[in-house]
Amino acid sequence: MDIRKTGLLALIAAVPLIAVLPLPDFWVTQLNYIGLYALTCLGLVLLTGVGGLTSFGQAAFVGIGAYTTAWLTLNMGVSPWLTLFIGMALTAVSALVVGVITLRMSGHYLPLATIAWGLSLYYLMGNLDALGKYDGLLGLKSLSIGSFDIGQGRAFFVLTWGILIASATGMLHLLDSRAGRAIRSLKGGSQMAEAMGISTFRYKVTIFVLAAVLASVAGWLLAHFQRTVNPSAFGLKMGIEYLFMTVIGGVGHVWGAIVGAGLIKILDDQLQVLLPKLIGTSGSYEVIVFGVLMVLVLKYLPDGLWSVVGRKMPAPKRQQDWNEAPALPARDKPAQGDLVLDVDKIRKQFGGLTAVNDISFQIKSGQIVGLIGPNGAGKSTTFNLVTGVLSLTSGSVKFRGETISGLSSREISRKGMARTFQHVKMIPDMTVLENVALGAHTRGGKGVLSAMLRTNRAEEKRLFKEAQRQLERIGMGDYLHEQAGNLAMGPQRLMEIARALCADPALLLLDEPAAGLRHKEKQGLADVLRQLKSEGMSILLVEHDMDLVMQICDHLVVMEFGTLLTQGTPEHVQQDPMVRAAYLGTEH
Ligand code: ADP
Ligand code: MG
């Protein structure tokens, strides 16, 4: 069985066991806090570790959950079982608003914005009369079912860890799904994900809201466990501490959240007692120890403590259970010889430089068109204009009769244009199969919720079957379960082609697919491209390697200094004296 599932089952078995063991009350309380903290950290694993978005503001969302239930149960007499969901809803709405405003920011602006958000909510909680200012709200009821108190001790332990395990399970399911693969693609920058038709902004907002809702549930539990709420538990210091726990435990792993929360909570308590005794005076010396610990972990174990354990575990082998799955729906393809791409006088100016100067060419269905020219000729820029990565200065691009100039790269990819990248863009810690399945993103529709609840299985099978089919189509059938990051350059480039093919494209665009390949690998690539052509695929190829281009292209477009030098069949281009002088002469 998959080791992660074994770990989960072990944890599920341990919870009732711990509940009946004669553990001292002190340790039960410790475990209760650890469960609460881990729940918030779990959200941070998704947001920061997986999604690459750093937030210092998680404690503020814990606060929204806590204050909502405190105020509503104390002032309105609402049942805490109802306030849980009201708190989650309020948190989701606040996170949505904060997320939509801040998640378009890049670099350091997002962490800074979350600090601002954490600070302002802290001062809001501390200054509102209705929320008891800095004293907070006192006298909350313990959680109970009927007359049975489950808000303290062992019963609360079972409740908290039950919620934690359920959330961790949902998270593991999510990460292994169509939506999860999209989320895992966020960290590598948005260009590749958007080219696969993924709305990176939507997924960023989604994980921001999800992490906030987990924090809110932790806040609800905390409020009723402590039976009092005050702003200090939800300020920036706690926000930093949550991030701290997660990073030390292992920000990229679901289990890292539990390890980190456990370690920091236990160390915190032990050091608070031990250090003043050692040093002889009282003070918060544990903070210094944590600071040192953090630096050491970041230096020597940047993936956190969990990575020490995780590394030793064999990668789970995916069970190949999709052979019977029905094929994904296919796109209407253009008929052989139809005009697929019509590029009309496109121009791109970067300040005073005209990188692409009124270039026109066409691609008919079933053709391989090569775009060649010396370095700096404007090939990549042309490619980016066609695929919507760059906006046109003037001119127009028509794809299958429809004007696509002005559309985003995501919208264009959804219309059936799939591409690879000059510098391979992949998710190194996913398998080849998973990376390739990312290409079929827009051919599925199951989202976050159905992934967590595992109602996405039928669709997942169809996606994996398609990914396997495309890998086999280009001769990569032996690499399915290989870690993508371990591949050599040749297979990596082929993997990108399989990923693009997974989108069921009407036009395939390849940006220097032969760059960095050895001679034999180039021949393999030429075979693959010829085979795709024989299957009716239309291809635009940006390439440096003249041999390859001359071998496989039906039509060549030659650029120099942004302008069109000539275009025609390879024979025609080869004999053109201008091309010989400008390009072939300088090439080896
Ligand atoms: P190629 O792919 O044919 O080597 P490019 O399309 O990358 O050429 O570049 C064409 C010209 O445009 C070069 O002179 C390059 O310096 C310039 N260029 C490309 N991208 C940008 C940019 N984002 N900003 C300014 N100049 C650029
Ligand atoms: Mg280039």
Side-chain angles (χ1 to χ4, degrees):
M1 200 194 321
D2 177 347
I3 193 92
R4 280 175 298 183
K5 284 203 187 116
T6 321
L8 204 62
L9 288 179
L11 203 58
I12 292 171
V15 167
L17 194 67
I18 289 172
V20 295
L21 281 179
L23 209 61
D25 284 348
F26 170 78
W27 285 104
V28 175
T29 306
Q30 289 291 77
L31 284 171
N32 285 341
Y33 275 110
I34 292 170
L36 287 173
Y37 292 156
L39 200 55
T40 304
C41 293
L42 198 58
L44 273 174
V45 164
L46 181 70
L47 186 66
T48 307
V50 179
L53 304 169
T54 306
S55 169
F56 293 97
Q58 289 317 97
F61 294 120
V62 181
I64 296 183
Y67 270 99
T68 304
T69 193
W71 195 84
L72 284 176
T73 53
L74 288 172
N75 294 312
M76 314 290 284
V78 183
S79 156
W81 299 105
L82 199 59
T83 58
L84 167 63
F85 296 100
I86 300 174
M88 285 164 75
L90 258 179
T91 309
V93 172
S94 330
L96 192 67
V97 173
V98 175
V100 166
I101 296 171
T102 56
L103 289 171
R104 288 197 198 274
M105 300 180 187
S106 55
H108 301 309
Y109 292 105
L110 176 71
L112 284 177
T114 61
I115 289 176
W117 152 250
L119 278 178
S120 43
L121 214 76
Y122 173 75
Y123 286 110
L124 185 72
M125 292 186 272
N127 282 298
L128 281 181
D129 276 328
L131 299 182
K133 297 204 159 179
Y134 288 100
D135 295 331
L137 301 170
L138 310 165
L140 271 84
K141 279 215 252 334
S142 189
L143 292 171
S144 62
I145 300 178
S147 60
F148 184 62
D149 183 2
I150 58 163
Q152 306 299 320
R154 288 171 162 73
F156 186 77
F157 167 75
V158 173
L159 174 69
T160 307
W161 281 74
I163 293 177
L164 176 63
I165 290 173
S167 308
T169 310
M171 194 79 82
L172 285 172
H173 287 167
L174 170 62
L175 292 178
D176 177 24
S177 73
R178 168 183 177 270
R181 289 186 289 275
I183 292 167
R184 291 165 76 176
S185 76
L186 295 176
K187 218 162 50 170
S190 59
Q191 217 189 67
M192 185 269 281
E194 291 278 328
M196 300 300 130
I198 294 166
S199 168
T200 51
F201 180 65
R202 231 189 79 199
Y203 277 105
K204 283 180 185 173
V205 172
T206 304
I207 59 175
F208 194 71
V209 170
L210 215 56
V213 168
L214 279 175
S216 169
V217 174
W220 174 79
L221 284 166
L222 184 72
H224 290 284
F225 182 55
Q226 298 193 321
R227 307 181 67 171
T228 153
V229 295
N230 66 68
S232 66
F234 315 120
L236 191 59
K237 182 168 173 287
M238 262 324 276
I240 294 172
E241 213 159 300
Y242 283 126
L243 199 58
F244 199 75
M245 292 180 196
T246 319
V247 169
I248 289 205
V251 74
H253 311 270
V254 166
W255 302 121
I258 300 175
V259 172
L263 188 79
I264 297 293
K265 176 66 189 153
I266 291 171
L267 264 185
D268 195 11
D269 280 1
Q270 301 297 321
L271 291 178
Q272 268 182 36
V273 179
L274 195 68
L275 288 180
K277 269 194 208 151
L278 278 179
I279 296 167
T281 57
S282 61
S284 305
Y285 298 113
E286 72 280 359
V287 178
I288 302 170
V289 176
F290 283 148
V292 174
L293 184 67
M294 181 81 165
V295 173
L296 287 178
V297 167
L298 286 180
K299 171 114 176 69
Y300 294 104
L301 285 172
D303 296 328
L305 293 174
W306 177 256
S307 63
V308 180
V309 188
R311 226 180 279 148
K312 293 213 163 56
M313 291 183 180
K317 191 146 171 63
R318 191 178 289 283
Q319 217 184 329
Q320 218 155 305
D321 58 356
W322 50 77
N323 292 336
E324 306 302 317
L328 289 168
R331 196 187 301 278
D332 275 342
K333 296 292 181 334
Q336 196 75 6
D338 276 6
L339 189 59
V340 178
L341 188 74
D342 188 3
V343 175
D344 188 24
K345 293 210 190 69
I346 59 168
R347 170 185 283 263
K348 181 69 186 179
Q349 257 158 325
F350 294 115
L353 175 84
T354 308
V356 174
N357 190 355
D358 295 346
I359 296 288
S360 304
F361 63 92
Q362 296 183 332
I363 302 178
K364 296 210 174 73
S365 178
Q367 264 190 330
I368 302 186
V369 172
L371 183 57
I372 62 172
N375 251 332
K379 306 181 296 293
S380 287
T381 308
T382 304
F383 200 92
N384 287 332
L385 289 173
V386 171
T387 50
V389 173
L390 291 172
S391 59
L392 290 161
T393 305
S394 67
S396 80
V397 181
K398 279 203 185 113
F399 180 54
R400 304 186 70 181
E402 191 185 345
T403 303
I404 56 165
S405 352
L407 298 183
S408 70
S409 67
R410 169 163 41 97
E411 290 162 321
I412 291 177
S413 91
R414 283 172 177 255
K415 293 194 181 294
M417 225 192 251
R419 67 170 292 182
T420 66
F421 295 87
Q422 184 171 344
H423 306 285
V424 173
K425 291 186 197 294
M426 56 172 180
I427 307 168
D429 64 353
M430 282 197 332
T431 64
V432 170
L433 190 76
E434 290 167 331
N435 267 284
V436 171
L438 202 59
H441 184 83
T442 56
R443 299 172 75 189
K446 297 282 182 199
V448 169
L449 216 58
S450 80
M452 288 180 145
L453 301 173
R454 224 53 174 168
T455 57
N456 62 346
R457 298 326 292 161
E459 186 184 275
E460 282 290 293
K461 286 181 188 172
R462 297 177 76 183
L463 291 172
F464 283 132
K465 187 177 179 183
E466 176 70 1
Q468 179 177 11
R469 191 171 76 88
Q470 298 301 352
L471 278 162
E472 283 169 353
R473 187 177 178 188
I474 60 163
M476 288 266 294
D478 292 340
Y479 291 88
L480 303 188
H481 305 291
E482 200 84 24
Q483 193 107 334
N486 294 342
L487 294 184
M489 182 63 90
Q492 274 184 13
R493 291 202 177 273
L494 285 177
M495 177 180 77
E496 276 213 327
I497 297 177
R499 187 178 65 198
L501 288 172
C502 246
D504 188 30
L507 176 65
L508 186 63
L509 298 102
L510 308 176
D511 197 351
E512 306 221 8
L517 297 200
R518 291 192 293 263
H519 182 71
K520 233 181 112 195
E521 290 176 320
K522 276 185 194 171
Q523 288 313 313
L525 177 70
D527 290 342
V528 166
L529 296 184
R530 266 192 222 106
Q531 183 206 328
L532 289 176
K533 177 182 151 71
S534 74
E535 293 168 21
M537 182 61 72
S538 328
I539 301 173
L540 174 63
L541 181 69
V542 171
E543 189 44 70
H544 228 83
D545 189 291
M546 289 306 288
D547 278 349
L548 184 74
V549 166
M550 293 295 169
Q551 269 181 49
I552 61 170
C553 289
D554 303 298
H555 185 89
L556 291 181
V557 179
V558 189
M559 291 178 74
E560 191 194 23
F561 301 127
T563 52
L564 184 75
L565 208 55
T566 182
Q567 57 178 319
T569 59
E571 296 75 34
H572 166 85
V573 165
Q574 228 163 356
Q575 276 148 25
D576 192 305
M578 292 241 288
V579 176
R580 284 176 165 272
Y583 185 52
L584 297 177
T586 60
E587 276 289 312
H588 40 82

